[in-house]
Amino acid sequence: MAIYPGTLSRALKKLEERRAAARNAQSMRRAEVYASCPEIAEADARVRATAFEAVKCALTGDGGEGRLRELRRENLGLQSRRRELLAENAYPPGYLDVVPACALCEDTGYISGRMCRCLVDACEIEQKRELSRSLRLDAENFDTFCFEYYSEKVDSFYEMSPRENIMRVFDFCSEYARHFGEGSPSLLITGSPGTGKTFLCSCIAGKASERASVVYGSAVDVFSRLEEEKFGRAPEGAQEELRRYRMCDLLILDDLGSEMTTPVTTSSLYALLSRRLTEGKKTVVASALSVDELSRRYPPQVMSRLEGDFVTLPLFGGDIRLIRQ
């Protein structure tokens, strides 16, 4: 999974908050124990003092090896007495220790230089939080998808009903998202307004984000950013956003055709799709325009990519938004 600096930074901040919470909880337990048994506080203080003296002795050589052995024996004895006092006062052995949420990496996020699973999970949570700013992942997912709004009347052109078609598309997209990986194709989802394209995009984004880095953007927003970059007007912080569009494992480009078509947007679209395809990155494009309408709007180079390198999933039927009212 490609993880971006901003996402990683926010995930590491969450882990730091966990460490701070664990330290705070330890301080509260220590205050409780010291108040109920001052002898434990005295033992702790002496353990720290003998440890400091032992380090100093080892560095300076004061007292020689004999003094160092004496300090170590005293320190071990104090630790043993501390455990006895905790037991006598009905406290478990590790009651005064810091208790991390992840015992494997102790909430640092790394084990021998490799990302711990807890940090990967934290990055996934941050990624879903970012996706949720644009998509309703909690409300629009594979579990909440409803087929009842699609007509069972057979469409003469497609020779099947909208419901039969959406069930096939749903099954394909569900498998696609659940098993998303390097071998997955790019998708072109077409259909008139209200046929469920953005809902499907949300379904795919939510499930695929458990396996890969997923970025969602409307065509208007994505091309606006690319145009700002081209003319040197990109605002501060936009570079990471642009990098994510280009480098994420799965880019969901929604509502293609809603943007103002100019030579700049057309060349940006071609460059974006070509780069992602060349680098093995996958893209889901959703458009209210049919393939024929897209062909009339975009040049052959763009359509060659969309028709030759994408699996097309057409949606048809009435406007669900109107049917639900």
Side-chain angles (χ1 to χ4, degrees):
M1 177 192 293
I3 299 176
Y4 302 97
T7 303
L8 179 60
S9 176
R10 286 186 287 274
L12 287 171
K13 184 177 180 182
K14 293 296 181 183
L15 266 59
E16 172 54 35
E17 290 172 358
R18 288 184 199 171
R19 292 199 297 275
R23 291 192 297 268
N24 184 56
Q26 180 204 34
S27 296
M28 294 177 67
R29 292 194 300 272
R30 184 187 293 125
E32 170 201 346
V33 170
Y34 288 179
S36 65
C37 184
E39 192 176 348
I40 295 177
E42 294 170 6
D44 272 355
R46 188 58 191 152
V47 165
R48 291 191 295 272
T50 53
F52 177 78
E53 288 182 53
V55 171
K56 183 180 177 182
C57 180
L59 292 173
T60 63
D62 291 346
E65 217 29 63
R67 176 57 178 162
L68 187 58
R69 284 195 298 270
E70 180 184 336
L71 287 168
R72 286 172 177 166
R73 280 196 301 270
E74 183 180 358
N75 187 278
L76 291 172
L78 288 164
Q79 291 185 50
S80 176
R81 178 55 181 158
R82 178 180 182 266
R83 287 192 292 270
E84 292 173 1
L85 290 168
L86 284 169
E88 289 171 8
N89 287 271
Y91 291 112
Y95 194 69
L96 292 180
D97 299 337
V98 174
V99 183
C102 179
L104 297 176
C105 70
E106 297 185 340
D107 296 336
T108 64
Y110 292 93
I111 303 173
S112 301
R114 298 176 63 86
M115 288 181 68
C116 180
R117 183 67 230 181
C118 72
L119 180 54
V120 174
D121 290 343
C123 286
E124 289 178 4
I125 291 171
E126 287 304 311
Q127 177 177 236
K128 283 201 170 183
R129 184 175 289 115
E130 292 163 9
L131 284 170
S132 295
R133 296 192 185 107
S134 304
L135 296 169
R136 300 169 59 210
L137 297 182
D138 291 339
E140 298 181 351
N141 53 66
F142 288 119
D143 293 330
T144 62
F145 199 96
C146 181
F147 303 109
E148 294 179 3
Y149 299 113
Y150 294 85
S151 172
E152 293 183 279
K153 183 180 179 180
V154 173
D155 183 286
S156 59
F157 179 81
Y158 291 100
E159 298 183 341
M160 69 174 69
S161 71
R163 184 174 298 183
E164 183 182 358
N165 178 68
I166 193 61
M167 291 177 74
R168 291 183 178 184
V169 171
F170 176 90
D171 288 343
F172 181 92
C173 290
S174 178
E175 288 299 303
Y176 178 86
R178 294 177 198 282
H179 303 289
F180 181 82
E182 290 184 6
S184 301
S186 289
L187 307 180
L188 172 60
I189 304 174
T190 64
S192 57
T195 48
K197 299 182 299 299
T198 299
F199 199 120
L200 272 177
C201 286
S202 180
C203 294
I204 293 171
K207 180 55 66 174
S209 64
E210 297 173 4
R211 305 172 57 86
S213 60
V214 181
V215 174
Y216 170 91
S218 70
V220 171
D221 291 340
V222 171
F223 294 127
S224 175
R225 280 282 182 261
L226 292 170
E227 185 174 355
E228 288 170 347
E229 179 189 45
K230 184 175 181 66
F231 293 106
R233 301 196 306 264
E236 186 178 352
Q239 286 306 313
E240 181 184 346
E241 188 176 359
L242 290 164
R243 191 182 307 115
R244 292 171 66 208
Y245 291 151
R246 294 179 175 119
M247 302 305 296
C248 62
D249 299 320
L250 176 62
L251 172 64
I252 297 179
L253 182 61
D254 198 9
D255 214 9
L256 180 67
S258 62
E259 78 285 357
M260 183 179 294
T261 306
T262 67
V264 172
T265 58
T266 299
S267 64
S268 295
L269 173 60
Y270 178 73
L272 180 64
L273 296 181
S274 296
R275 176 173 180 170
R276 292 186 58 76
L277 287 166
T278 300
E279 296 179 355
K281 308 293 184 181
K282 314 305 176 183
T283 308
V284 172
V285 175
S287 177
L289 303 178
S290 67
V291 172
D292 287 343
E293 289 170 325
L294 289 168
S295 297
R296 291 192 291 271
R297 181 159 187 159
Y298 298 103
Q301 303 97 304
V302 171
M303 292 310 301
S304 175
R305 292 298 194 189
L306 290 175
E307 292 185 278
D309 297 303
F310 284 64
V311 172
T312 301
L313 302 174
L315 306 183
F316 56 92
D319 189 332
I320 293 172
R321 300 186 191 95
L322 300 179
I323 297 172
R324 286 189 302 189
Q325 289 182 353

